[in-house]
Amino acid sequence: LYRLDIVLKDVNNGNVGVVNTRLVVPRFDDDRLSSSSLILADQIQRVSMKDIGLGQFVLGDMKVRPKLDKTFVPSDSMGVFLQVYNLKVDDKTHKADASVQYRVTKLGEKTTGDAPTPMLKFDVPQNQLPEHGEELTLENMITLGSLGPGRYKLEVAVTDNLAKETI
């Protein structure tokens, strides 16, 4: 648990303001499948080798500009950025075996079953998943043109097929 203090000073009139907030850093167990926070972005792009890890919104070799209001229009593409940790690695191939599914459901839809029917649903083919051993970084742009106005929920399900765990 950390405390974040931000001090702002107006250089023109000398006024000073302070904002204090709690900053909770989640604990990750080494033996359980876990993930970062899901980031919805209006821009996801690779950065040059010299800019890796540098600059605003740069995570590793990607620039991920979050869409803070999480509002998109049908002509937009919605960027999805998520990192998954602690995938089990096969002892023989030294590779992880994971499957990824995206589901977008409309909030407030009446259903007869247990869960609403997804408006968009797709799996990421195994050959399109990056190979990084125990870690998996998902960065995808989802086209929203087929969705009408409304409030939606995005779910990303990642299954470690070797450990039989889903997050």
Side-chain angles (χ1 to χ4, degrees), residues 120-151:
L120 286 175
K121 179 179 173 181
F122 60 94
D123 297 311
V124 178
Q126 186 73 30
N127 63 351
Q128 290 184 11
L129 291 176
E131 293 182 25
H132 295 303
E134 295 180 354
E135 287 187 18
L136 173 65
T137 299
L138 302 172
E139 69 251 354
N140 291 301
M141 298 299 286
I142 299 175
T143 304
L144 303 174
S146 65
L147 301 176
R151 293 178 46 94

Short mmCIF file of all heavy atoms in Angstrom, two decimals, residues 120-151:
data_model
loop_
_atom_site.label_atom_id
_atom_site.label_comp_id
_atom_site.label_asym_id
_atom_site.label_seq_id
_atom_site.Cartn_x
_atom_site.Cartn_y
_atom_site.Cartn_z
N LEU A 120 -20.68 -9.54 -29.99
CA LEU A 120 -19.45 -9.87 -30.70
C LEU A 120 -18.76 -10.97 -29.89
O LEU A 120 -18.72 -10.91 -28.67
CB LEU A 120 -18.49 -8.68 -30.76
CG LEU A 120 -18.78 -7.53 -31.69
CD1 LEU A 120 -17.75 -6.43 -31.48
CD2 LEU A 120 -18.75 -7.98 -33.14
N LYS A 121 -18.23 -11.95 -30.59
CA LYS A 121 -17.51 -13.02 -29.92
C LYS A 121 -16.49 -13.56 -30.90
O LYS A 121 -16.83 -13.88 -32.04
CB LYS A 121 -18.48 -14.13 -29.50
CG LYS A 121 -17.84 -15.30 -28.80
CD LYS A 121 -18.91 -16.31 -28.42
CE LYS A 121 -18.29 -17.58 -27.88
NZ LYS A 121 -19.30 -18.57 -27.52
N PHE A 122 -15.23 -13.61 -30.47
CA PHE A 122 -14.23 -14.21 -31.35
C PHE A 122 -13.06 -14.75 -30.54
O PHE A 122 -12.76 -14.28 -29.45
CB PHE A 122 -13.73 -13.21 -32.42
CG PHE A 122 -13.09 -11.97 -31.87
CD1 PHE A 122 -11.72 -11.89 -31.69
CD2 PHE A 122 -13.86 -10.86 -31.56
CE1 PHE A 122 -11.14 -10.75 -31.19
CE2 PHE A 122 -13.28 -9.70 -31.07
CZ PHE A 122 -11.91 -9.65 -30.89
N ASP A 123 -12.47 -15.79 -31.10
CA ASP A 123 -11.29 -16.41 -30.51
C ASP A 123 -10.07 -15.92 -31.26
O ASP A 123 -10.11 -15.67 -32.47
CB ASP A 123 -11.36 -17.94 -30.64
CG ASP A 123 -12.53 -18.53 -29.88
OD1 ASP A 123 -12.69 -18.17 -28.70
OD2 ASP A 123 -13.28 -19.34 -30.46
N VAL A 124 -8.96 -15.78 -30.54
CA VAL A 124 -7.69 -15.43 -31.18
C VAL A 124 -7.03 -16.74 -31.56
O VAL A 124 -6.78 -17.58 -30.69
CB VAL A 124 -6.79 -14.62 -30.23
CG1 VAL A 124 -5.46 -14.30 -30.90
CG2 VAL A 124 -7.48 -13.34 -29.78
N PRO A 125 -6.76 -16.95 -32.85
CA PRO A 125 -6.12 -18.21 -33.28
C PRO A 125 -4.77 -18.40 -32.58
O PRO A 125 -4.04 -17.44 -32.34
CB PRO A 125 -5.93 -18.03 -34.79
CG PRO A 125 -6.90 -16.96 -35.17
CD PRO A 125 -7.04 -16.07 -33.99
N GLN A 126 -4.46 -19.64 -32.26
CA GLN A 126 -3.22 -19.97 -31.54
C GLN A 126 -1.99 -19.42 -32.24
O GLN A 126 -1.08 -18.92 -31.59
CB GLN A 126 -3.11 -21.51 -31.42
CG GLN A 126 -1.97 -21.99 -30.57
CD GLN A 126 -2.20 -21.77 -29.09
OE1 GLN A 126 -3.32 -21.78 -28.64
NE2 GLN A 126 -1.13 -21.59 -28.35
N ASN A 127 -1.97 -19.45 -33.58
CA ASN A 127 -0.79 -18.97 -34.31
C ASN A 127 -0.67 -17.45 -34.30
O ASN A 127 0.34 -16.91 -34.74
CB ASN A 127 -0.80 -19.51 -35.74
CG ASN A 127 -1.98 -19.00 -36.55
OD1 ASN A 127 -2.90 -18.39 -36.02
ND2 ASN A 127 -1.94 -19.27 -37.85
N GLN A 128 -1.68 -16.73 -33.80
CA GLN A 128 -1.61 -15.27 -33.72
C GLN A 128 -1.28 -14.78 -32.32
O GLN A 128 -1.18 -13.58 -32.09
CB GLN A 128 -2.91 -14.65 -34.20
CG GLN A 128 -3.13 -14.79 -35.69
CD GLN A 128 -4.37 -14.08 -36.16
OE1 GLN A 128 -4.98 -13.31 -35.43
NE2 GLN A 128 -4.77 -14.35 -37.38
N LEU A 129 -1.11 -15.71 -31.37
CA LEU A 129 -0.73 -15.32 -30.02
C LEU A 129 0.78 -15.19 -29.95
O LEU A 129 1.50 -16.05 -30.44
CB LEU A 129 -1.20 -16.37 -29.01
CG LEU A 129 -2.70 -16.49 -28.79
CD1 LEU A 129 -3.00 -17.63 -27.83
CD2 LEU A 129 -3.28 -15.19 -28.26
N PRO A 130 1.28 -14.11 -29.35
CA PRO A 130 2.73 -13.96 -29.23
C PRO A 130 3.30 -15.00 -28.27
O PRO A 130 2.65 -15.39 -27.31
CB PRO A 130 2.90 -12.54 -28.67
CG PRO A 130 1.60 -12.22 -28.02
CD PRO A 130 0.55 -13.00 -28.75
N GLU A 131 4.51 -15.47 -28.55
CA GLU A 131 5.16 -16.46 -27.70
C GLU A 131 6.17 -15.77 -26.79
O GLU A 131 7.18 -15.26 -27.26
CB GLU A 131 5.86 -17.51 -28.56
CG GLU A 131 4.89 -18.35 -29.36
CD GLU A 131 5.61 -19.42 -30.16
OE1 GLU A 131 6.72 -19.83 -29.78
OE2 GLU A 131 5.06 -19.82 -31.19
N HIS A 132 5.85 -15.75 -25.50
CA HIS A 132 6.76 -15.12 -24.54
C HIS A 132 6.88 -15.96 -23.28
O HIS A 132 6.94 -15.44 -22.18
CB HIS A 132 6.28 -13.71 -24.17
CG HIS A 132 6.31 -12.75 -25.31
ND1 HIS A 132 7.45 -12.47 -26.03
CD2 HIS A 132 5.35 -11.99 -25.86
CE1 HIS A 132 7.17 -11.57 -26.97
NE2 HIS A 132 5.90 -11.28 -26.89
N GLY A 133 6.83 -17.27 -23.41
CA GLY A 133 6.98 -18.14 -22.25
C GLY A 133 5.82 -18.00 -21.28
O GLY A 133 4.68 -18.24 -21.63
N GLU A 134 6.13 -17.58 -20.06
CA GLU A 134 5.13 -17.51 -19.00
C GLU A 134 4.23 -16.28 -19.10
O GLU A 134 3.28 -16.16 -18.35
CB GLU A 134 5.82 -17.51 -17.63
CG GLU A 134 6.54 -18.81 -17.34
CD GLU A 134 7.21 -18.77 -15.98
OE1 GLU A 134 7.22 -17.72 -15.31
OE2 GLU A 134 7.74 -19.82 -15.58
N GLU A 135 4.55 -15.33 -19.97
CA GLU A 135 3.76 -14.12 -20.11
C GLU A 135 3.12 -14.05 -21.49
O GLU A 135 3.67 -14.53 -22.47
CB GLU A 135 4.63 -12.87 -19.92
CG GLU A 135 5.04 -12.64 -18.51
CD GLU A 135 5.77 -11.32 -18.33
OE1 GLU A 135 5.65 -10.43 -19.21
OE2 GLU A 135 6.45 -11.17 -17.31
N LEU A 136 1.97 -13.40 -21.53
CA LEU A 136 1.25 -13.21 -22.78
C LEU A 136 0.74 -11.78 -22.79
O LEU A 136 0.10 -11.34 -21.84
CB LEU A 136 0.07 -14.19 -22.86
CG LEU A 136 -0.90 -14.05 -24.02
CD1 LEU A 136 -0.20 -14.33 -25.34
CD2 LEU A 136 -2.07 -15.00 -23.83
N THR A 137 1.08 -11.03 -23.84
CA THR A 137 0.60 -9.66 -23.97
C THR A 137 -0.40 -9.62 -25.12
O THR A 137 -0.06 -9.97 -26.25
CB THR A 137 1.75 -8.68 -24.23
OG1 THR A 137 2.66 -8.74 -23.13
CG2 THR A 137 1.24 -7.27 -24.39
N LEU A 138 -1.62 -9.21 -24.81
CA LEU A 138 -2.67 -9.08 -25.82
C LEU A 138 -2.83 -7.62 -26.16
O LEU A 138 -3.04 -6.79 -25.27
CB LEU A 138 -3.99 -9.64 -25.28
CG LEU A 138 -3.97 -11.10 -24.85
CD1 LEU A 138 -5.26 -11.46 -24.16
CD2 LEU A 138 -3.72 -12.00 -26.04
N GLU A 139 -2.73 -7.30 -27.42
CA GLU A 139 -2.99 -5.95 -27.89
C GLU A 139 -3.77 -6.07 -29.18
O GLU A 139 -3.24 -6.51 -30.19
CB GLU A 139 -1.71 -5.14 -28.06
CG GLU A 139 -0.82 -5.58 -29.17
CD GLU A 139 0.48 -6.25 -28.74
OE1 GLU A 139 0.81 -6.30 -27.56
OE2 GLU A 139 1.16 -6.73 -29.66
N ASN A 140 -5.05 -5.76 -29.10
CA ASN A 140 -5.93 -5.92 -30.25
C ASN A 140 -6.79 -4.69 -30.44
O ASN A 140 -7.13 -4.00 -29.47
CB ASN A 140 -6.86 -7.13 -30.05
CG ASN A 140 -6.11 -8.43 -30.10
OD1 ASN A 140 -5.47 -8.75 -31.09
ND2 ASN A 140 -6.17 -9.20 -29.04
N MET A 141 -7.15 -4.44 -31.68
CA MET A 141 -8.09 -3.38 -32.02
C MET A 141 -9.37 -4.07 -32.48
O MET A 141 -9.34 -4.91 -33.38
CB MET A 141 -7.54 -2.48 -33.13
CG MET A 141 -6.25 -1.74 -32.75
SD MET A 141 -6.39 -0.64 -31.33
CE MET A 141 -7.30 0.72 -32.02
N ILE A 142 -10.48 -3.74 -31.84
CA ILE A 142 -11.77 -4.34 -32.16
C ILE A 142 -12.60 -3.33 -32.93
O ILE A 142 -12.80 -2.20 -32.48
CB ILE A 142 -12.52 -4.78 -30.88
CG1 ILE A 142 -11.70 -5.83 -30.13
CG2 ILE A 142 -13.91 -5.31 -31.22
CD1 ILE A 142 -12.30 -6.23 -28.80
N THR A 143 -13.09 -3.73 -34.11
CA THR A 143 -13.95 -2.89 -34.92
C THR A 143 -15.35 -2.90 -34.34
O THR A 143 -15.91 -3.96 -34.08
CB THR A 143 -13.97 -3.40 -36.38
OG1 THR A 143 -12.63 -3.46 -36.85
CG2 THR A 143 -14.79 -2.49 -37.27
N LEU A 144 -15.93 -1.71 -34.13
CA LEU A 144 -17.21 -1.60 -33.44
C LEU A 144 -18.38 -1.30 -34.37
O LEU A 144 -19.50 -1.12 -33.91
CB LEU A 144 -17.12 -0.49 -32.38
CG LEU A 144 -16.02 -0.68 -31.34
CD1 LEU A 144 -15.93 0.54 -30.45
CD2 LEU A 144 -16.26 -1.93 -30.52
N GLY A 145 -18.16 -1.24 -35.66
CA GLY A 145 -19.18 -0.83 -36.62
C GLY A 145 -20.49 -1.57 -36.55
O GLY A 145 -21.54 -1.03 -36.85
N SER A 146 -20.47 -2.84 -36.11
CA SER A 146 -21.71 -3.62 -36.07
C SER A 146 -22.52 -3.39 -34.80
O SER A 146 -23.63 -3.91 -34.69
CB SER A 146 -21.37 -5.11 -36.19
OG SER A 146 -20.63 -5.54 -35.07
N LEU A 147 -22.00 -2.62 -33.86
CA LEU A 147 -22.70 -2.39 -32.59
C LEU A 147 -23.48 -1.08 -32.64
O LEU A 147 -22.96 -0.05 -33.05
CB LEU A 147 -21.71 -2.34 -31.42
CG LEU A 147 -20.87 -3.60 -31.21
CD1 LEU A 147 -19.86 -3.37 -30.09
CD2 LEU A 147 -21.75 -4.79 -30.90
N GLY A 148 -24.73 -1.13 -32.18
CA GLY A 148 -25.55 0.07 -32.11
C GLY A 148 -25.26 0.85 -30.83
O GLY A 148 -24.49 0.41 -29.99
N PRO A 149 -25.90 2.00 -30.67
CA PRO A 149 -25.71 2.79 -29.45
C PRO A 149 -26.13 1.98 -28.22
O PRO A 149 -27.06 1.18 -28.27
CB PRO A 149 -26.64 3.99 -29.64
CG PRO A 149 -26.90 4.05 -31.11
CD PRO A 149 -26.81 2.65 -31.61
N GLY A 150 -25.42 2.19 -27.13
CA GLY A 150 -25.76 1.51 -25.88
C GLY A 150 -24.55 1.32 -25.00
O GLY A 150 -23.45 1.77 -25.32
N ARG A 151 -24.76 0.66 -23.89
CA ARG A 151 -23.69 0.35 -22.95
C ARG A 151 -23.35 -1.13 -23.11
O ARG A 151 -24.24 -1.98 -23.17
CB ARG A 151 -24.12 0.66 -21.52
CG ARG A 151 -24.32 2.15 -21.29
CD ARG A 151 -24.80 2.45 -19.88
NE ARG A 151 -24.08 1.75 -18.84
CZ ARG A 151 -23.02 2.24 -18.17
NH1 ARG A 151 -22.59 3.45 -18.45
NH2 ARG A 151 -22.43 1.53 -17.23
#
